[in-house]
Amino acid sequence: MKSYNVCLKDTVKTFTKRLFYSLFDCDQEEEHGAYLEKTFIKVLKKLEVENAEQIWSTFKTNLPEIRRKLDLDAIAFENNDPASHSLEEIYLAYPGFYAISIYRLSHALYKLKVPILPRMMSEYIHGITGIDIHPGATIGDSFYIDHGTGIVIGETSIIGKGVKIYQGVTLGGISVAKSLAKVKRHPTIEDNVCIYANATVLGGDITIGANSVIGANVWITESVPENSLVTYKTEIKIRPKKNGIK
């Protein structure tokens, strides 16, 4: 019976948290720098990845750009959420921002073709926030997630700049054969699109045009032109209660 390194789940959990802390806190960076490098190399060697030291060195050079992108994301949160009182609150208390942070870190590793570890990082934050962003997704600057619980963003999704997504949104794929795993299976969302709660957009050949608004509970399997408003209309009746009805 083959043995698997399942204990790495705990190691990656701690590594991911400390990597996030170090990205925003100079004291944490100084305190945990050696741990992060040592643990990263240890995990990759357990996963039988060659050149772990070189990959870590390359990954470190990406961290300033990741931080720059995350600062833009935080500003997008501040500009879009009337409940936010400061940037500090967003960095410290917003699960959507936390999920985007781990996504941007794991995406950098995904682009370096590091196996398994990016998925472990994304599944850790998925368990914490309820937000499932595959590290392979491509997401532009100033990305805003409101509330966030139940969001699913698939591996081959492409999201432009200034996009806003609310809770329960799925950017998914229509079922395809395993042999088509390398084919684009998830939608493209162009710049400045807003997708409201529980909307579902499915298919790799689907594009939501720039500056469009997708209303709540909409199900989309065909492309939407730029500057569109897509809504789902249902009739809701409000009337007095009859006696005896609780």
Side-chain angles (χ1 to χ4, degrees):
M1 185 178 295
K2 184 175 179 178
S3 178
Y4 292 93
N5 296 302
V6 293
C7 61
L8 286 179
K9 293 169 73 73
D10 287 336
T11 303
V12 170
K13 173 182 174 180
T14 302
F15 169 82
T16 302
K17 287 197 295 184
R18 291 186 179 179
L19 182 61
F20 171 77
Y21 297 158
S22 297
L23 196 61
F24 296 101
D25 187 323
C26 294
D27 291 338
Q28 291 287 313
E29 181 181 12
E30 184 175 345
E31 180 178 351
H32 297 307
Y35 161 85
L36 291 171
E37 180 174 4
K38 178 181 177 181
T39 303
F40 181 87
I41 293 170
K42 172 186 173 183
V43 169
L44 262 59
K45 288 185 175 180
K46 284 279 188 179
L47 296 173
E48 300 181 353
V49 177
E50 297 181 357
N51 302 319
E53 293 86 355
Q54 181 58 48
I55 294 171
W56 173 254
S57 179
T58 302
F59 176 62
K60 278 180 62 179
T61 66
N62 291 328
L63 293 178
E65 175 62 11
I66 293 171
R67 171 62 192 268
R68 184 194 71 81
K69 287 178 175 290
L70 288 171
D71 287 340
L72 293 175
D73 296 327
I75 292 169
F77 274 70
E78 185 179 41
N79 290 341
N80 284 288
D81 187 359
S84 68
H85 296 94
S86 66
L87 276 172
E88 184 175 28
E89 181 181 15
I90 291 158
Y91 287 107
L92 296 178
Y94 273 55
F97 180 76
Y98 195 12
I100 294 169
S101 297
I102 304 307
Y103 154 74
R104 295 209 184 277
L105 290 164
S106 64
H107 180 66
L109 293 172
Y110 181 94
K111 289 173 65 178
L112 291 171
K113 302 188 184 304
V114 175
I116 304 177
L117 176 58
R119 284 299 306 273
M120 294 177 75
M121 293 169 66
S122 67
E123 287 308 312
Y124 159 69
I125 198 64
H126 180 197
I128 296 294
T129 65
I131 299 168
D132 184 2
I133 308 176
H134 194 287
T138 301
I139 301 177
D141 292 347
S142 302
F143 184 45
Y144 170 58
I145 289 175
D146 195 11
H147 300 294
T149 305
I151 284 176
V152 177
I153 300 175
E155 178 182 18
T156 60
S157 299
I158 298 174
I159 299 175
K161 297 179 181 179
V163 170
K164 298 185 285 187
I165 294 182
Y166 287 73
Q167 69 272 17
V169 166
T170 297
L171 304 182
I174 297 172
S175 181
V176 296
K178 183 71 173 180
S179 60
L180 298 177
K182 299 297 184 182
V183 174
K184 187 176 185 301
R185 309 182 307 281
H186 305 95
T188 295
I189 312 298
E190 294 186 342
D191 295 351
N192 303 312
V193 168
C194 178
I195 307 178
Y196 282 104
N198 300 312
T200 299
V201 187
L202 301 179
D205 58 350
I206 301 302
T207 297
I208 305 300
N211 308 306
S212 293
V213 174
I214 308 301
N217 302 309
V218 168
W219 180 281
I220 295 177
T221 56
E222 60 184 70
S223 292
V224 172
E226 293 183 1
N227 302 302
S228 295
L229 172 63
V230 182
T231 60
Y232 171 76
K233 186 176 182 180
T234 185
E235 186 178 7
I236 298 175
K237 293 183 179 180
I238 301 175
R239 57 188 184 274
K241 277 197 312 184
K242 295 181 179 179
N243 291 337
I245 296 178
K246 296 183 179 180

